[in-house]
Amino acid sequence: MEISKVLVANRGEIARRVFATCRRMGLGTVAVYSDADADSPHVVEADTAVRLPGNTPAETYLRGDSVIAAARAAGADAIHPGYGFLSENADFARAVQDAGLLWIGPPVAAIEQMGSKVAAKKLMDAAGVPVLAELDPAEVTEAHLPVLIKASAGGGGRGMRVVRELAELDDQIAAASREAESAFGDPTVFCERYLATGRHIEVQIMADAHGVTWAVGERECSIQRRHQKVVEEAPSPLVERIGHAMRASGPEEVAERNHGGVARIANGNSMRERLFQAARLAAEAIGYTGAGTVEFLADEAGEFFFLEMNTRLQVEHPVTECTTGLDLVRLQLSVAAGAALPAQPPAMRGHSIEVRLYAEDPAQDWQPQSGTLHRIEIPMVAAEFDLLDRSGVRLDSGVVDGSVVGVHYDPMLAKVISYAETRAEAARLLADALRRARVHGLVTNRELLVRVLRHPAFLAGDTDTAFFETHGLSTLAAPLASEEDERLSIVAAALADAAANRRAARVGGPLPSGWRNLPAQSQQKRYESRVSGVHEIGYRFTRGGVEVDGSAGLELIEATPERVVLGVSGGVRRDFAVARYGELVCVDSALGPVSVRRLPRFTDPADQVALGSLLAPMPGSVIRLGAQAGARVAAGQPILWLEAMKMEHKILAPAAGVLTALNVSVGQQVDVGAVLAVLDPETQE
């Protein structure tokens, strides 16, 4: 079937990614969008855009009938589901085909067989693929602990909980079920044995309708937060380290048959060969076509177990594209249209690492952020949504300068991907690009990503799923700028603000050197850092330049509203780029990024928040209450739960005391900074 116009039943980065390949193939593009996404880049870039009324996923991107109606209205002849939302919904895939549209995905039967992780494990076990036993939540005992609760209908960390105490099981199952219902429309969950320090290895599959099934290459995605991947790479460091050491036979001997005729994986072969064979067995067992990923949990000895099969494109597919030279979206479109694959995929080359840049605060329990992203600038980008044929950085982003990050969707801003001949070079290149990036307006996990990429354990390939616990999240999430460097950056902010004030004045002109004919009075500026609190910067301009309180020997070389150059001890020169957005001031330099808020000289008492107030850390919906007004609560006790960005977030009592006010009810929408409750500090125990 010929394809002429493709509707992407998704949003953000993946919609832009599919559109990029469609443009390279000369195909028309159609976007769908919620009201919250009306001004999003994927809407602007599409040839045609169709509104899905509403804001939440349930009202918009999860409405298969609305998406199909949009395709018909726009004249699309094919639908690409992207990932998440309806991408693994068999009923939607069937409805697309029933509507006479081409489904850019695997057969409906394959989606159904893999759609239930419970049923999928049984099927894979029967096909000879190693599996971890599934546990019925109702039958879990102390002997099974710890266990992992998982959503049967989806992934991406939604509906996943680790349970170490049997008394917590029921509450955690209920919470996981609510998240699964919200994210996938299916509340079904199950349990399995939890391996705290496993390695997450996955194999990219591509299969056509003519009997060819490729195992394109493996990826390692072990560094995760809340069971969601943060750093992904190809090839896997674990497989590279031990894969060839296990080799004992050729590829033709990888699969053997047991007495029942079921294929099994020959233990004598290399880990890579066994992974590829297991992935092909999984795909062939369900008659798979198109792009898919078979995920495994492996141990340090090279043994692995089937986790799930994602019947769609993965978020981390760019690292496979970079190491194979394949455009996986192009292959999806071609295979769906009936094209045949060559007999063998290309060999892997070099190394690629991808990180997910999130609007979140890792130091505050991964708290998601919302608001305006004033600026996002990643240096050294050689390609956007495209292949890299030499060392460089690729950017796949769903946002641009001025984008508003809301509360209805995942807070991922961008995927930043490096490619180089060696893993060490790829890590160094990516860390440097992230450090130099200018990301203004929202707290992100950028510092965490840089520290991970530079960590000795990561560079050694020691990257299991407990990486953050092992190496200390607080250490990894610490600012890149030291306390001393942060203060120097804030001094630069004050001098840039002074230059901006002078430029805006009716008299006077740009500040050339700070010289005055009369002795200058000390100027004071106050800034607040979310990391280190309030800073008071006192400075005065003299004939010799500038004097900053507490910073002897500092030389002002240049000061404009956008740039400050300072000379520090030892003849070292520091260059600071300064940007301001209202009261927000962002300073970028080689010392690390620093963001502060300019404080007024005098504070209006009416703006003060009552002592003991619990404020909403993000906009969201109250879904559950843990205490009532007048109740005595313990330190750390949940007061209420907020749902935002498809995840549940607890609001905890900071100390013991009496809850004197509870200002919200279940179902209520709250804005960031809203006073949710008040804890009386005078009655704390």
Side-chain angles (χ1 to χ4, degrees):
M1 174 180 175
E2 285 292 325
I3 302 174
S4 62
K5 186 182 291 187
V6 179
L7 180 145
V8 178
N10 220 293
R11 63 179 299 278
E13 165 267 326
I14 185 56
R16 298 182 77 194
R17 166 68 189 93
V18 177
F19 290 161
T21 287
C22 287
R23 285 193 295 272
R24 289 191 287 268
M25 297 176 68
L27 303 178
T29 56
V30 180
V32 289
Y33 65 93
S34 68
D35 292 338
D37 278 340
D39 298 320
S40 293
H42 82 277
V43 178
V44 176
E45 292 174 358
D47 298 328
T48 307
V50 182
R51 175 179 176 245
L52 303 176
N55 287 307
T56 67
E59 296 172 311
T60 56
Y61 300 107
L62 289 173
R63 285 284 303 275
D65 56 341
S66 298
V67 172
I68 292 171
R72 285 173 163 162
D77 47 30
I79 290 182
H80 191 298
Y83 48 69
F85 294 135
L86 294 169
S87 62
E88 295 179 279
N89 186 305
D91 290 338
F92 176 63
R94 184 181 292 109
V96 168
Q97 295 173 339
D98 289 345
L101 302 169
L102 184 64
W103 169 247
I104 312 298
V108 171
I111 300 174
E112 288 177 329
Q113 288 173 298
M114 292 293 103
S116 166
K117 291 183 173 62
V118 175
K121 283 196 168 192
K122 294 176 182 177
L123 181 60
M124 292 298 100
D125 190 26
V129 179
V131 301
L132 279 173
E134 175 254 331
L135 301 171
D136 184 335
E139 298 177 359
V140 172
T141 67
E142 289 280 358
H144 295 118
L145 298 177
V147 297
L148 179 64
I149 304 170
K150 300 178 74 173
S152 182
R158 274 33 176 213
M160 296 184 75
R161 295 286 195 281
V162 177
V163 177
R164 294 182 171 85
E165 301 289 339
L166 197 60
E168 300 176 356
L169 183 64
D170 290 343
D171 284 347
Q172 295 286 24
I173 286 174
S177 182
R178 287 193 301 270
E179 277 189 1
E181 173 72 28
S182 175
F184 313 115
D186 183 347
T188 307
V189 297
F190 69 98
C191 298
E192 67 184 18
R193 183 163 58 97
Y194 177 60
L195 302 181
T197 58
R199 304 284 287 250
H200 190 115
I201 313 293
E202 59 189 34
V203 178
Q204 176 69 57
I205 288 293
M206 183 64 72
D208 63 21
H210 307 280
V212 175
T213 301
W214 284 356
V216 181
E218 91 278 350
R219 301 184 284 256
E220 181 157 344
C221 314
S222 298
I223 298 183
Q224 304 176 5
R225 63 98 165 100
R226 289 181 169 174
H227 313 291
Q228 190 172 48
K229 303 158 190 172
V230 177
V231 182
E232 304 110 340
E233 56 184 312
S236 158
L238 175 68
V239 176
E240 286 286 279
R241 185 170 74 240
I242 71 172
H244 298 292
M246 301 176 66
R247 183 180 297 278
S249 58
E252 70 279 359
E253 301 174 78
V254 172
E256 297 179 356
R257 298 273 168 181
N258 62 20
H259 294 300
V262 177
R264 65 181 177 88
I265 311 303
N267 290 329
N269 293 284
S270 78
M271 183 181 184
R272 178 166 289 134
E273 290 171 344
R274 293 185 298 117
L275 278 166
F276 285 8
Q277 181 62 19
R280 284 192 291 265
L281 284 175
E284 291 166 358
I286 57 174
Y288 199 81
T289 61
T293 300
V294 187
E295 300 194 353
F296 300 95
L297 188 65
D299 62 23
E300 293 294 332
E303 296 305 311
F304 55 84
F305 305 93
F306 173 84
L307 284 176
E308 62 185 11
M309 183 175 185
N310 293 136
T311 54
R312 54 171 169 81
L313 202 64
Q314 292 277 84
V315 177
E316 56 271 22
H317 75 272
V319 296
T320 296
E321 293 186 323
C322 288
T323 52
T324 61
L326 295 171
D327 182 332
L328 294 177
V329 175
R330 176 185 285 270
L331 287 175
Q332 281 187 294
L333 294 166
S334 298
V335 165
L341 295 171
Q344 297 294 330
M348 288 187 291
R349 58 194 176 92
H351 201 96
S352 182
I353 305 174
E354 172 184 297
V355 295
R356 304 189 192 187
L357 183 66
Y358 282 106
E360 67 182 12
D361 189 348
Q364 299 296 322
D365 194 28
W366 309 100
Q367 188 179 101
Q369 307 292 300
S370 62
T372 301
L373 180 67
H374 298 296
R375 185 176 186 182
I376 179 166
E377 179 183 299
I378 311 294
M380 302 178 290
V381 171
E384 292 189 56
F385 307 107
D386 202 358
L387 306 179
L388 289 172
D389 57 4
R390 60 182 178 179
S391 295
V393 174
R394 165 176 166 174
L395 177 66
D396 287 17
S397 174
V399 295
V400 294
D401 291 358
S403 289
V404 176
V405 177
V407 300
H408 300 292
Y409 314 113
D410 186 277
M412 187 175 77
L413 302 176
K415 302 181 316 196
V416 189
I417 308 107
S418 66
Y419 171 73
E421 290 186 5
T422 67
R423 183 173 184 268
E425 183 181 349
R428 186 169 59 247
L429 180 62
L430 186 53
D432 190 54
L434 289 167
R435 181 186 65 82
R436 295 175 184 271
R438 298 185 182 183
V439 186
H440 299 166
L442 295 173
V443 177
T444 73
N445 65 337
R446 182 250 299 269
E447 286 86 351
L448 173 85
L449 298 175
V450 172
R451 290 191 182 280
V452 168
L453 292 167
R454 291 175 170 175
H455 198 282
F458 177 84
L459 295 174
D462 297 332
T463 56
D464 62 35
T465 54
F467 190 90
F468 293 137
E469 291 81 0
T470 301
H471 300 291
L473 179 60
S474 60
T475 300
L476 292 170
L480 295 177
S482 67
E483 290 185 13
E484 181 181 351
D485 293 341
E486 181 191 44
R487 178 170 175 80
L488 191 60
S489 296
I490 298 173
V491 167
L495 297 176
D497 278 349
N501 293 340
R502 185 170 180 83
R503 177 182 288 179
R506 291 180 180 273
V507 294
L511 182 65
S513 65
W515 184 84
R516 293 290 185 278
N517 192 36
L518 297 173
Q521 297 297 313
S522 177
Q523 304 291 314
Q524 296 287 328
K525 293 189 183 299
R526 299 172 69 242
Y527 299 90
E528 183 176 27
S529 163
R530 70 179 182 87
V531 176
S532 55
V534 175
H535 291 253
E536 295 192 5
I537 306 298
Y539 61 93
R540 64 180 58 82
F541 294 106
T542 69
R543 290 177 178 149
V546 66
E547 293 180 0
V548 178
D549 296 347
S551 300
L554 198 64
E555 178 188 2
L556 175 60
I557 299 172
E558 180 182 350
T560 71
E562 298 81 24
R563 181 171 181 251
V564 172
V565 183
L566 298 175
V568 296
S569 60
V572 175
R573 172 172 163 160
R574 294 292 186 189
D575 200 320
F576 302 87
V578 183
R580 56 188 58 77
Y581 312 92
E583 299 306 311
L584 176 67
V585 183
C586 300
V587 184
D588 293 288
S589 74
L591 300 176
V594 172
S595 294
V596 293
R597 291 202 172 271
R598 190 187 302 110
L599 296 177
R601 292 183 63 190
F602 305 103
T603 302
D604 187 343
D607 294 334
Q608 297 293 316
V609 175
L611 187 64
S613 295
L614 278 65
L615 307 182
M618 69 204 77
S621 176
V622 179
I623 61 171
R624 185 181 171 195
L625 299 177
Q628 297 295 328
R632 181 173 294 278
V633 297
Q637 177 179 333
I639 303 301
L640 56 89
W641 284 256
L642 281 179
E643 183 181 57
M645 298 180 178
K646 299 190 290 186
M647 298 288 281
E648 292 186 6
H649 308 273
K650 293 180 184 178
I651 305 300
L652 307 177
V658 173
L659 201 64
T660 59
L662 184 63
N663 302 331
V664 295
S665 58
V666 173
Q668 183 175 337
Q669 291 287 134
V670 297
D671 293 327
V672 63
V675 179
L676 304 173
V678 179
L679 186 70
D680 188 346
E682 295 181 353
T683 57
Q684 292 179 6
E685 294 178 338

